[in-house]
Protein backbone atom coordinates (compact mmCIF):
# COMPACT_ATOMS: atom_id res chain seq x y z
CA UNK A 1 0.00 0.00 0.00
CA UNK A 2 0.90 3.61 -0.34
CA UNK A 3 0.89 4.49 3.35
CA UNK A 4 0.85 3.11 6.86
CA UNK A 5 -2.36 1.26 7.61
CA UNK A 6 -3.83 0.41 11.00
CA UNK A 7 -6.63 -1.93 11.94
CA UNK A 8 -9.17 -1.71 13.37
CA UNK A 9 -9.93 1.99 13.00
CA UNK A 10 -12.10 1.81 16.11
CA UNK A 11 -12.14 -0.66 18.98
CA UNK A 12 -14.56 -0.65 21.88
CA UNK A 13 -13.88 -3.08 24.70
CA UNK A 14 -14.78 -3.64 28.30
CA UNK A 15 -12.52 -3.08 31.26
CA UNK A 16 -10.35 -6.11 31.91
CA UNK A 17 -10.43 -7.44 28.35
CA UNK A 18 -7.46 -8.11 26.05
CA UNK A 19 -7.00 -6.18 22.79
CA UNK A 20 -4.67 -6.33 19.81
CA UNK A 21 -4.00 -3.42 17.49
CA UNK A 22 -2.33 -4.01 14.14
CA UNK A 23 0.01 -1.82 12.11
CA UNK A 24 1.10 -2.39 8.51
CA UNK A 25 4.06 -0.09 7.71
CA UNK A 26 5.17 1.28 4.38
CA UNK A 27 6.92 -1.45 2.40
CA UNK A 28 10.68 -1.36 2.89
CA UNK A 29 10.62 0.75 6.05
CA UNK A 30 12.83 -0.86 8.67
CA UNK A 31 11.82 1.31 11.61
CA UNK A 32 8.38 1.17 13.21
CA UNK A 33 7.05 3.26 16.09
CA UNK A 34 3.99 3.16 18.31
CA UNK A 35 2.62 6.31 19.94
CA UNK A 36 -0.44 7.00 22.07
CA UNK A 37 -2.45 10.21 21.75
CA UNK A 38 -4.87 11.14 24.50
CA UNK A 39 -7.60 13.71 23.94
CA UNK A 40 -6.17 17.21 23.63
CA UNK A 41 -2.56 16.05 23.80
CA UNK A 42 0.28 15.40 21.42
CA UNK A 43 1.35 11.84 20.65
CA UNK A 44 3.47 10.13 23.30
CA UNK A 45 6.08 7.54 22.41
CA UNK A 46 5.51 3.93 23.41
CA UNK A 47 7.97 1.66 21.59
CA UNK A 48 10.32 1.61 18.60
CA UNK A 49 11.34 -1.36 16.46
CA UNK A 50 14.38 -1.61 14.24
CA UNK A 51 13.72 -4.69 12.15
CA UNK A 52 12.26 -7.42 14.33
CA UNK A 53 13.65 -6.26 17.65
CA UNK A 54 12.39 -3.62 20.04
CA UNK A 55 15.22 -1.07 20.09
CA UNK A 56 13.52 1.13 22.67
CA UNK A 57 10.48 0.19 24.77
CA UNK A 58 10.99 2.84 27.44
CA UNK A 59 7.65 4.49 26.68
CA UNK A 60 5.48 1.48 27.50
CA UNK A 61 3.52 2.56 30.62
CA UNK A 62 3.49 -0.83 32.38
CA UNK A 63 3.74 -4.58 31.78
CA UNK A 64 0.16 -4.79 30.49
CA UNK A 65 1.46 -3.34 27.23
CA UNK A 66 3.48 -5.45 24.81
CA UNK A 67 4.32 -5.21 21.11
CA UNK A 68 5.79 -7.60 18.55
CA UNK A 69 7.10 -7.41 15.01
CA UNK A 70 8.03 -11.03 14.27
CA UNK A 71 8.97 -10.72 10.58
CA UNK A 72 10.17 -7.13 10.54
CA UNK A 73 7.07 -5.80 8.83
CA UNK A 74 3.62 -5.92 10.46
CA UNK A 75 3.49 -5.08 14.15
CA UNK A 76 0.89 -5.82 16.80
CA UNK A 77 0.40 -3.83 19.98
CA UNK A 78 -1.14 -5.96 22.71
CA UNK A 79 -2.86 -4.63 25.82
CA UNK A 80 -3.86 -6.99 28.63
CA UNK A 81 -6.45 -6.32 31.34
CA UNK A 82 -7.48 -3.04 29.74
CA UNK A 83 -8.34 -0.09 31.98
CA UNK A 84 -10.47 2.98 31.26
CA UNK A 85 -7.29 5.08 31.31
CA UNK A 86 -6.03 3.15 28.27
CA UNK A 87 -8.66 4.88 26.12
CA UNK A 88 -6.80 6.89 23.47
CA UNK A 89 -5.85 6.91 19.81
CA UNK A 90 -2.95 4.57 19.16
CA UNK A 91 -0.75 5.75 16.30
CA UNK A 92 1.76 3.78 14.31
CA UNK A 93 4.54 5.30 12.22
CA UNK A 94 7.30 3.91 10.03
CA UNK A 95 10.51 5.29 8.56
CA UNK A 96 13.33 4.23 6.26
CA UNK A 97 16.23 4.92 8.66
CA UNK A 98 18.40 6.38 5.88
CA UNK A 99 21.85 7.24 7.16
CA UNK A 100 21.19 5.75 10.56
CA UNK A 101 20.32 9.11 12.09
CA UNK A 102 17.17 10.53 13.61
CA UNK A 103 16.56 12.84 10.65
CA UNK A 104 14.43 10.40 8.68
CA UNK A 105 10.76 11.29 8.34
CA UNK A 106 8.24 9.24 10.26
CA UNK A 107 5.09 8.49 8.27
CA UNK A 108 1.99 8.05 10.41
CA UNK A 109 -1.04 5.88 10.00
CA UNK A 110 -4.60 7.12 10.74
CA UNK A 111 -4.62 5.50 14.15
CA UNK A 112 -6.84 3.12 16.10
CA UNK A 113 -9.28 4.74 18.50
CA UNK A 114 -9.52 2.51 21.58
CA UNK A 115 -12.40 3.01 23.98
CA UNK A 116 -12.45 1.04 27.23
CA UNK A 117 -15.87 1.04 28.88
CA UNK B 1 15.93 14.62 27.66
CA UNK B 2 14.14 16.98 25.34
CA UNK B 3 10.78 18.76 25.47
CA UNK B 4 8.55 20.98 23.35
CA UNK B 5 6.25 23.82 24.37
CA UNK B 6 3.60 25.13 22.02
CA UNK B 7 2.20 28.45 23.19
CA UNK B 8 -1.49 28.78 22.46
CA UNK B 9 -3.66 25.69 22.27
CA UNK B 10 -6.05 27.56 19.95
CA UNK B 11 -5.22 30.19 17.34
CA UNK B 12 -7.83 31.92 15.18
CA UNK B 13 -7.00 33.98 12.10
CA UNK B 14 -8.95 35.47 9.23
CA UNK B 15 -8.62 34.05 5.76
CA UNK B 16 -5.70 35.83 4.05
CA UNK B 17 -4.04 36.83 7.33
CA UNK B 18 -0.60 35.78 8.57
CA UNK B 19 -0.40 32.48 10.42
CA UNK B 20 2.09 32.24 13.29
CA UNK B 21 2.23 29.12 15.45
CA UNK B 22 4.81 29.15 18.22
CA UNK B 23 7.13 26.33 19.24
CA UNK B 24 9.95 26.38 21.78
CA UNK B 25 12.11 23.39 22.50
CA UNK B 26 14.50 22.25 25.17
CA UNK B 27 17.45 20.05 24.31
CA UNK B 28 20.98 19.67 25.65
CA UNK B 29 22.29 18.53 22.26
CA UNK B 30 21.64 19.78 18.71
CA UNK B 31 17.97 19.13 17.93
CA UNK B 32 16.13 17.96 14.88
CA UNK B 33 12.80 19.76 14.66
CA UNK B 34 9.58 18.86 12.89
CA UNK B 35 6.15 20.32 12.25
CA UNK B 36 3.27 17.93 11.58
CA UNK B 37 -0.34 18.71 10.68
CA UNK B 38 -3.32 16.57 11.65
CA UNK B 39 -6.62 16.89 9.85
CA UNK B 40 -9.74 15.37 11.46
CA UNK B 41 -9.75 11.56 11.31
CA UNK B 42 -6.44 11.51 9.44
CA UNK B 43 -2.89 10.62 10.36
CA UNK B 44 -0.16 13.12 11.07
CA UNK B 45 1.40 14.58 7.92
CA UNK B 46 4.87 16.14 7.84
CA UNK B 47 4.86 19.83 6.92
CA UNK B 48 8.60 20.46 7.21
CA UNK B 49 11.70 19.57 9.19
CA UNK B 50 14.99 21.10 10.26
CA UNK B 51 18.03 18.85 10.55
CA UNK B 52 21.18 20.83 9.72
CA UNK B 53 22.20 23.64 7.38
CA UNK B 54 19.87 26.46 6.38
CA UNK B 55 17.86 27.65 9.33
CA UNK B 56 14.88 28.80 7.28
CA UNK B 57 13.00 25.72 6.16
CA UNK B 58 10.26 25.71 3.57
CA UNK B 59 7.56 23.07 3.62
CA UNK B 60 4.39 22.04 1.89
CA UNK B 61 1.28 24.18 1.45
CA UNK B 62 3.23 27.45 1.71
CA UNK B 63 4.41 26.93 5.30
CA UNK B 64 7.89 27.73 6.54
CA UNK B 65 9.72 27.74 9.85
CA UNK B 66 12.94 29.26 11.13
CA UNK B 67 15.28 27.55 13.57
CA UNK B 68 16.62 30.11 16.06
CA UNK B 69 19.13 28.48 18.37
CA UNK B 70 19.55 31.57 20.56
CA UNK B 71 15.81 31.64 21.23
CA UNK B 72 15.37 27.83 21.23
CA UNK B 73 12.45 28.38 18.88
CA UNK B 74 11.06 26.89 15.70
CA UNK B 75 7.95 28.94 14.93
CA UNK B 76 5.73 28.02 11.97
CA UNK B 77 4.47 30.74 9.62
CA UNK B 78 2.40 31.16 6.49
CA UNK B 79 1.92 34.56 4.87
CA UNK B 80 -1.74 34.11 3.93
CA UNK B 81 -4.13 31.67 5.62
CA UNK B 82 -6.53 29.56 3.61
CA UNK B 83 -9.69 27.88 4.88
CA UNK B 84 -8.09 24.50 4.16
CA UNK B 85 -5.34 25.25 6.70
CA UNK B 86 -7.75 24.67 9.57
CA UNK B 87 -6.29 21.71 11.47
CA UNK B 88 -4.20 20.73 14.50
CA UNK B 89 -0.48 21.44 14.27
CA UNK B 90 2.20 19.66 16.28
CA UNK B 91 5.82 20.61 16.80
CA UNK B 92 8.22 17.76 17.61
CA UNK B 93 11.87 17.29 18.47
CA UNK B 94 14.38 14.47 18.42
CA UNK B 95 18.14 14.14 18.59
CA UNK B 96 20.84 11.68 17.61
CA UNK B 97 21.48 10.73 21.22
CA UNK B 98 19.13 8.81 23.44
CA UNK B 99 15.81 7.70 22.09
CA UNK B 100 15.11 8.05 18.39
CA UNK B 101 11.41 8.69 18.91
CA UNK B 102 9.81 12.10 18.49
CA UNK B 103 8.81 14.18 21.49
CA UNK B 104 5.71 16.19 20.61
CA UNK B 105 4.21 19.37 21.94
CA UNK B 106 0.57 19.42 22.99
CA UNK B 107 -0.56 20.92 19.70
CA UNK B 108 -2.19 24.11 18.44
CA UNK B 109 -5.60 24.06 16.81
CA UNK B 110 -5.78 26.60 13.99
CA UNK B 111 -9.15 28.08 13.07
CA UNK B 112 -9.50 30.13 9.89
CA UNK B 113 -12.41 32.55 9.78
CA UNK B 114 -13.94 33.57 6.45
Amino acid sequence: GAGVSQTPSNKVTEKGKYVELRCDPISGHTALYWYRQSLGQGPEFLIYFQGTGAADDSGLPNDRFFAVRPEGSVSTLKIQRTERGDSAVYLCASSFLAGGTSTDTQYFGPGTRLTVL
Amino acid sequence: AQSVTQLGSHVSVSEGALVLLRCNYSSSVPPYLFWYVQYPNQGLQLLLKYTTGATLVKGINGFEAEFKKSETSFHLTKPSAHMSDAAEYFCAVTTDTGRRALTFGSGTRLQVQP
Side-chain angles (χ1 to χ4, degrees):
Chain A
V4 178
S5 61
Q6 293 186 246
T7 54
S9 55
N10 279 283
K11 176 71 177 178
V12 180
T13 191
E14 294 179 345
K15 180 176 178 295
K17 299 289 188 183
Y18 168 83
V19 297
E20 290 189 351
L21 311 179
R22 176 188 167 107
C23 172
D24 219 318
I26 293 171
S27 178
H29 280 191
T30 53
L32 186 146
Y33 307 78
W34 284 98
Y35 294 84
R36 178 168 72 173
Q37 186 175 19
S38 300
L39 195 62
Q41 300 296 318
E44 292 180 305
F45 169 72
L46 295 176
I47 186 169
Y48 153 57
F49 287 89
Q50 191 166 326
T52 59
D56 182 356
D57 64 357
S58 61
L60 294 177
N62 52 59
D63 61 5
R64 295 186 298 105
F65 288 75
F66 188 72
V68 296
R69 195 186 185 199
E71 297 178 357
S73 177
V74 170
S75 176
T76 305
L77 178 65
K78 308 180 180 194
I79 310 174
Q80 297 178 319
R81 305 183 303 281
T82 52
E83 299 177 357
R84 292 193 180 88
D86 298 335
S87 296
V89 176
Y90 289 81
L91 298 170
C92 177
S94 69
S95 70
F96 185 60
L97 273 186
T101 72
S102 298
T103 60
D104 46 293
T105 297
Q106 293 182 28
Y107 295 87
F108 284 80
T112 293
R113 182 176 298 278
L114 175 65
T115 303
V116 182
L117 301 177
Chain B
Q2 57 259 21
S3 65
V4 172
T5 301
Q6 290 185 243
L7 288 175
S9 58
H10 288 82
V11 170
S12 183
V13 300
S14 299
E15 192 173 18
L18 171 72
V19 175
L20 170 60
L21 304 182
R22 298 179 186 275
C23 171
N24 287 89
Y25 69 91
S26 172
S27 176
S28 57
V29 298
Y32 302 133
L33 295 156
F34 303 75
W35 275 100
Y36 279 86
V37 60
Q38 188 174 38
Y39 297 102
N41 300 316
Q42 293 188 29
L44 291 152
Q45 180 183 5
L46 181 72
L47 278 176
L48 49 79
K49 66 179 179 182
Y50 168 78
T51 55
T52 58
T55 56
L56 181 62
V57 181
K58 294 186 185 299
I60 62 171
N61 301 339
F63 284 94
E64 63 181 37
E66 186 170 12
F67 170 61
K68 292 188 176 181
K69 183 179 178 181
S70 61
E71 298 176 10
T72 61
S73 69
F74 191 57
H75 301 330
L76 182 71
T77 60
K78 182 174 180 178
S80 177
H82 192 273
M83 297 296 290
S84 61
D85 294 327
E88 184 107 29
Y89 292 80
F90 292 95
C91 182
V93 65
T94 189
T95 68
D96 266 340
T97 61
R99 64 167 55 160
R100 182 178 289 273
L102 294 168
T103 299
F104 285 87
S106 56
T108 297
R109 182 166 298 280
L110 175 66
Q111 278 188 312
V112 182
Q113 308 289 348

